Amino acid sequence: MKPRSLKSTTSKLAQIRIKLTLTCTRIYTTLKSKAYQVYGVLNNAVNKARVFCKQTSTYTTTLLRTLLAQYLAKRNALITLALLCLSVCFGLWSVFVLGILYERQNERQDSLRRAKALESSAPTAIPTSLPKQARTQTNTPSKSNIGIGDSLQALSTKPPAIPAVDEKESIITGNLTYTNALSIAKSQILAQDFTRARIWLYRAFLLHNGGKEVWELYWLSFEQDYRASIEQKQAAYTLYLQAKRYYGF
């Protein structure tokens, strides 16, 4: 009986082992298939995530490049427009300034032509020097010494005089001399303040009416003044010629 019982136990164990093996094989096969399925799902998810990230990156890069190109195009357009406006403004300003300079040059040339014409029409026998006492006299120069275009002041019994000006704009402080008045007048002419320069020239004239420099500066103050009319410049030069003939400088 014992041998049989051992055999039966052995056979039962063998059957159990076979069953366990089959069960493990089935479980392994099932798990393996499931693992492949899970791996496939995860692999697909990862691939889709990669594709999505790549598409997102491409779209973002394209969008940023497009926005940057638009910004640069707008900036370049604004810079071009600003440069165009500056060029137009500079051109208009240049034309305006050049026009003023050209007009001044023409006026100066016309004044020089008239001055040469007056000097050529004036007599050549002009006394080069006069006694100091004769300069202070009020004798009228002869009519033969009056050039074409001279004003009626030369025909009067009074010597040539610089017209009086409004002296309220310039207040005298301290003692004023002829040299100081001329120095201030020169500085005002250099500063293009011709109205104030004539005030100091008038004061210098009151101190020394026969001074050559005061009459030359008086004519120069009108010659360089672009706001002075041609008639005013002509009158100033005529007065200068009258003083030159009268005082003999």
Side-chain angles (χ1 to χ4, degrees):
M1 294 298 292
K2 289 183 180 180
R4 290 181 180 177
S5 62
L6 289 173
K7 289 180 180 180
S8 62
T9 302
T10 302
S11 61
K12 288 179 179 180
L13 291 173
Q15 292 176 359
I16 292 171
R17 187 180 61 185
I18 292 170
K19 289 180 179 180
L20 289 173
T21 302
L22 292 173
T23 303
C24 290
T25 301
R26 290 174 182 174
I27 292 172
Y28 173 75
T29 303
T30 304
L31 292 175
K32 185 178 180 180
S33 61
K34 295 294 184 182
Y36 277 117
Q37 291 178 358
V38 172
Y39 175 76
V41 172
L42 292 176
N43 191 22
N44 291 333
V46 170
N47 291 333
K48 289 181 179 180
R50 288 179 180 175
V51 172
F52 177 76
C53 292
K54 186 176 181 179
Q55 291 177 352
T56 304
S57 176
T58 303
Y59 175 77
T60 304
T61 303
T62 304
L63 180 61
L64 291 176
R65 288 180 179 177
T66 303
L67 293 176
L68 181 60
Q70 292 178 355
Y71 168 75
L72 293 177
K74 291 180 180 180
R75 188 195 66 177
N76 293 334
L78 290 175
I79 292 174
T80 304
L81 182 61
L83 292 176
L84 181 61
C85 293
L86 288 176
S87 300
V88 172
C89 294
F90 180 75
L92 294 175
W93 179 82
S94 300
V95 171
F96 181 73
V97 172
L98 291 176
I100 292 177
L101 294 177
Y102 180 75
E103 184 178 357
R104 290 184 185 177
Q105 185 67 22
N106 287 338
E107 290 180 358
R108 186 169 298 178
Q109 290 178 357
D110 293 339
S111 299
L112 291 176
R113 292 193 193 99
R114 287 192 296 270
K116 290 180 180 179
L118 288 174
E119 289 181 352
S120 62
S121 63
T124 57
I126 299 176
T128 57
S129 63
L130 290 177
K132 186 175 181 181
Q133 295 178 355
R135 294 184 181 180
T136 59
Q137 295 177 357
T138 58
N139 294 332
T140 306
S142 62
K143 293 184 180 180
S144 61
N145 291 333
I146 301 175
I148 299 174
D150 290 348
S151 64
L152 294 177
Q153 186 177 0
L155 300 177
S156 65
T157 59
K158 296 181 179 180
I162 293 177
V165 293
D166 186 8
E167 301 184 60
K168 295 180 180 179
E169 298 182 4
S170 298
I171 301 174
I172 301 175
T173 57
N175 296 327
L176 181 65
T177 63
Y178 176 74
T179 304
N180 292 339
L182 284 183
S183 178
I184 297 173
K186 289 179 182 179
S187 63
Q188 296 298 330
I189 290 176
L190 291 176
Q192 301 293 311
D193 191 353
F194 301 104
T195 301
R196 198 177 298 273
R198 294 183 194 113
I199 293 175
W200 291 100
L201 288 173
Y202 176 72
R203 290 171 179 171
F205 166 77
L206 294 178
L207 295 172
H208 181 32
N209 56 2
K212 176 182 177 182
E213 195 170 6
V214 67
W215 286 103
E216 290 179 346
L217 290 176
Y218 179 74
W219 172 42
L220 187 65
S221 68
F222 280 96
E223 185 65 24
Q224 293 185 359
D225 189 358
Y226 68 93
R227 291 173 295 186
S229 61
I230 298 177
E231 291 77 9
Q232 290 176 331
K233 295 180 179 181
Q234 181 63 44
Y237 184 71
T238 302
L239 190 61
Y240 165 73
L241 291 180
Q242 294 170 6
K244 184 177 181 180
R245 286 191 294 271
Y246 185 87
Y247 294 108
F249 51 76

